[in-house]
Amino acid sequence: MYTLAEFLPGHIPQWLNGCLYRNGAGVYQVKDTNIRHFFDGFSVLHKFTIQNGHVTFRSSLLDTHTLQQAMGITRTVTSRSGVHRVLDPCKNIFKESQTYFAELPPERTDNTSVNVVTLGDGLYALTETATINRVDPRDLKTTEMIDLSRVISVHTGTAHPHFNQQGDMFSYGSNFDHRKAYNIIRIPNMKADADPMAKAEIVASVASRWPTNISYNHSFGMSENYYVVLDQPVAFNTKKFQISNVDMQGVAGTLVLRRGEAQKNPGDLRDQLRFRFPFHQLLRGGRLSGNRSGHLPPYRCHPGPVFGEDEEIGFQIPDAGSFARFVLPLNVENAPRDINLVGLPHSKATAIIDYDARNVVSLTPDFFTPEKITMELPRINYPMCAGRKYRYAYGTSVFSDFYRLVKLDTQEKTVKQWRLTQYYYPGEPIFVPTPGAIEEDDGVILSPVLCETLEEPSFLLVLDARSFTEIARAYIPSNVKMSMTFHGTFCGSKNPPRDNLPDVVDIHL
């Protein structure tokens, strides 16, 4: 653990006390083996402890069975590129068909390298499988590996759960039986001595429109009244899972594009080898009316963030995502065709019932500004606005050529930014509200900033969320390298958990 130094002018607010936990794929080489896919590196957890204006930093490679196995063998087994044969524990779902799937934990992988969240008094590391690791918040070591597929019938999971006002966690999981493909999972908020994961239950299930394809969803949406899951053309081919152990394909190799369902762009999609699909979602709720039975009409959405596919080397890091807002009309039973049903003032989004397909509503988004707002890893004031109407969204220009943090005012349609030189890469912005705040943007933004050069240190950035101006930095010591992280969470506390471990190094400047 390292004590970090603040950068003046400015000081970290005295009220900002707690721990910022982050998770990402931070190790890409084990022995002589290089991990190929961007999201497949082994999990590295970070903890920034903030107390009384001071910051300490701890980083730890998540001690998983997958990592131990990779360290002890000549061939690396990673979270999405593994190949050995595992009998599906949910084979009874498919009746007489005995199937085999790539990477079903815990036999395959427990490398939870995407996000870290809190539930009750527990800290949990997540990825897109059904495996969840409980982590000790003091030293970031794994205390328990949980396989949700042994509790409920799901084969994959999500690293982007939601929480209701009672603190219950809602997650998403897919099942490769197309009749119950998309599932919303509730995990109750329970007392410290209870096991909330053992009480997980499926509260909603929807079939896929394709018998052998299950849409890939990195995230899902939840409002006070609705869950939103996308049945999009980027999908798992469930038949490929049955032979993935034979032809050395991992999960990425089972993803297919149903080109007939994709947005038609100029030119031939087969030549362009490019397609569009949403990655992260911010659901703007509010007072919803109309049909609440769950049987809403199909929505055809286009376009979204652009991702690239190369037939020879597999899926590549996506191009820069852009912020786009779709508007879904919920009561279209007697609505006219070929007329924009979006009546919201100042919105350029459209929703039109297809003339030739009465049961389909085609949507186009509002991009807010003439030039699309480059933005990924979006966050909002979650304690105040989760599932409700929000005005401000924060993001980073990940995967772009113009590194910056952005604050989007969806009401005024204006953008504020923070950036340094192109050598500094700001990560996901986490909003922390000021205690007792009434205004939505009254608080601070926390973002880890990586420096691509060896000459300058990385640091934790603190911004005033309202003005989007810099308050302070907490530099990482020059002899410590901070790896990139994807997602994280801030846990406020007047007395953050201290690890009291012997490797404390004080840095005095």
Side-chain angles (χ1 to χ4, degrees):
M1 183 176 71
Y2 299 91
T3 299
L4 310 188
E6 286 187 56
F7 173 81
L8 301 179
H11 296 277
I12 293 176
Q14 290 295 313
W15 59 261
L16 184 61
N17 293 292
C19 292
L20 173 65
Y21 297 98
R22 310 253 338 142
N23 192 0
V27 174
Y28 291 88
Q29 182 174 0
V30 175
K31 294 188 176 180
D32 297 328
T33 302
N34 291 318
I35 295 175
R36 179 179 176 185
H37 295 284
F38 178 68
F39 297 106
D40 286 350
F42 290 101
S43 170
V44 176
L45 296 177
H46 296 168
K47 181 177 73 170
F48 295 90
T49 302
I50 306 173
Q51 187 173 26
N52 300 325
H54 299 282
V55 184
T56 60
F57 173 72
R58 172 172 294 282
S59 177
S60 177
L61 185 62
L62 189 63
D63 54 332
T64 63
H65 294 296
T66 301
L67 176 64
Q68 295 171 9
Q69 185 177 12
M71 294 292 291
I73 60 176
T74 58
R75 178 168 55 86
T76 300
V77 181
T78 65
S79 64
R80 301 186 189 181
S81 304
V83 294
H84 58 273
R85 186 179 180 93
V86 179
L87 183 64
D88 174 21
C90 300
K91 65 180 180 179
N92 59 318
I93 296 173
F94 298 92
K95 306 302 181 183
E96 299 177 359
S97 176
Q98 180 170 299
T99 57
Y100 292 85
F101 291 91
E103 59 177 85
L104 281 176
E107 298 90 343
R108 285 289 314 277
T109 179
D110 57 347
N111 181 39
T112 50
S113 60
V114 179
N115 202 356
V116 55
V117 301
T118 57
L119 176 64
D121 66 338
L123 184 68
Y124 298 91
L126 309 173
T127 186
E128 294 184 318
T129 69
T131 299
I132 297 174
N133 279 308
R134 183 161 185 166
V135 177
D136 188 322
R138 298 171 301 170
D139 59 9
L140 305 181
K141 299 301 182 182
T142 304
T143 61
E144 180 185 10
M145 184 183 68
I146 302 153
D147 180 11
L148 279 185
S149 70
R150 298 182 180 276
V151 181
I152 53 177
S153 295
V154 294
H155 295 103
T156 72
T158 181
H160 290 284
H162 289 286
F163 297 84
N164 63 12
Q165 295 299 310
Q166 292 72 43
D168 297 336
M169 187 169 85
F170 291 81
S171 188
Y172 163 81
S174 62
N175 185 305
F176 292 146
D177 179 350
H178 76 281
R179 294 166 295 184
K180 38 190 171 182
Y182 313 117
N183 302 275
I184 303 298
I185 305 159
R186 175 184 172 270
I187 302 173
N189 181 20
M190 303 177 69
K191 297 180 180 179
D193 57 349
D195 182 6
M197 298 299 169
K199 301 296 184 181
E201 60 175 341
I202 294 176
V203 296
S205 183
V206 180
S208 171
R209 52 182 159 159
W210 307 301
T212 59
N213 291 143
I214 307 297
S215 289
Y216 166 74
N217 280 280
H218 180 74
S219 60
F220 73 106
M222 187 177 87
S223 75
E224 291 181 301
N225 299 321
Y226 293 94
Y227 307 114
V228 177
V229 177
L230 302 178
D231 196 8
Q232 57 188 344
V234 179
F236 295 110
N237 184 327
T238 55
K239 288 187 175 181
K240 282 190 175 183
F241 270 90
Q242 300 179 34
I243 62 172
S244 63
N245 51 13
V246 176
D247 60 9
M248 306 295 285
Q249 293 184 104
V251 172
T254 69
L255 287 174
V256 297
L257 173 65
R258 296 190 62 95
R259 297 184 183 275
E261 308 287 341
Q263 162 69 6
K264 299 298 189 296
N265 294 318
D268 189 342
L269 281 176
R270 295 183 182 275
D271 294 333
Q272 294 182 13
L273 294 176
R274 298 173 69 83
F275 54 91
R276 302 173 181 267
F277 74 98
F279 203 48
H280 296 103
Q281 301 180 42
L282 290 176
L283 187 64
R284 179 185 172 112
R287 294 187 177 276
L288 305 179
S289 60
N291 182 359
R292 295 192 180 185
S293 66
H295 301 288
L296 299 177
Y299 297 96
R300 180 184 297 126
C301 304
H302 46 86
V306 179
F307 279 60
E309 177 192 15
D310 186 303
E311 290 181 341
E312 294 182 357
I313 60 174
F315 288 83
Q316 299 301 292
I317 294 175
D319 294 337
S322 54
F323 186 95
R325 173 173 287 174
F326 294 90
V327 179
L328 281 63
L330 300 180
N331 192 349
V332 297
E333 184 176 352
N334 297 312
R337 304 183 190 184
D338 293 339
I339 294 177
N340 183 15
L341 303 178
V342 177
L344 299 178
H346 311 299
S347 177
K348 297 179 182 178
T350 67
I352 301 174
I353 298 177
D354 281 9
Y355 186 83
D356 296 323
R358 177 72 185 179
N359 66 330
V360 175
V361 182
S362 291
L363 307 177
T364 59
D366 184 357
F367 288 104
F368 288 93
T369 61
E371 294 185 359
K372 295 178 182 178
I373 302 168
T374 300
M375 179 175 169
E376 249 296 351
L377 308 180
R379 298 294 292 249
I380 60 174
N381 182 340
Y382 197 88
M384 179 182 292
C385 302
R388 303 185 179 96
K389 181 179 179 180
Y390 66 88
R391 176 175 176 176
Y392 302 105
Y394 310 90
T396 181
S397 56
V398 64
F399 304 134
S400 77
D401 295 326
F402 186 68
Y403 296 166
R404 63 175 184 167
L405 293 171
V406 296
K407 174 187 179 181
L408 169 62
D409 185 334
T410 65
Q411 179 174 303
E412 299 295 330
K413 298 188 176 182
T414 58
V415 176
K416 294 180 179 180
Q417 69 170 3
W418 176 93
R419 73 182 301 263
L420 292 177
T421 68
Q422 190 61 13
Y423 297 109
Y424 288 92
Y425 172 85
E428 174 194 46
I430 303 292
F431 178 87
V432 183
T434 302
I438 298 176
E439 298 297 326
E440 182 183 331
D441 60 348
D442 184 359
V444 299
I445 294 293
L446 302 179
S447 173
V449 179
L450 293 178
C451 185
E452 293 182 346
T453 69
L454 298 178
E455 290 76 18
E456 299 294 335
S458 301
F459 56 91
L460 175 67
L461 173 69
V462 185
L463 297 179
D464 176 80
R466 179 169 297 172
S467 63
F468 220 58
T469 57
E470 184 172 329
I471 297 176
R473 305 178 190 179
Y475 279 113
I476 303 296
S478 58
N479 63 326
V480 177
K481 299 305 177 185
M482 183 173 71
S483 59
M484 188 188 69
T485 53
F486 301 133
H487 301 289
T489 187
F490 181 82
C491 305
S493 172
K494 292 183 179 180
N495 297 298
R498 293 184 176 273
D499 45 44
N500 295 321
L501 297 178
D503 58 342
V504 175
V505 177
D506 291 322
I507 307 298
H508 299 283
L509 295 181

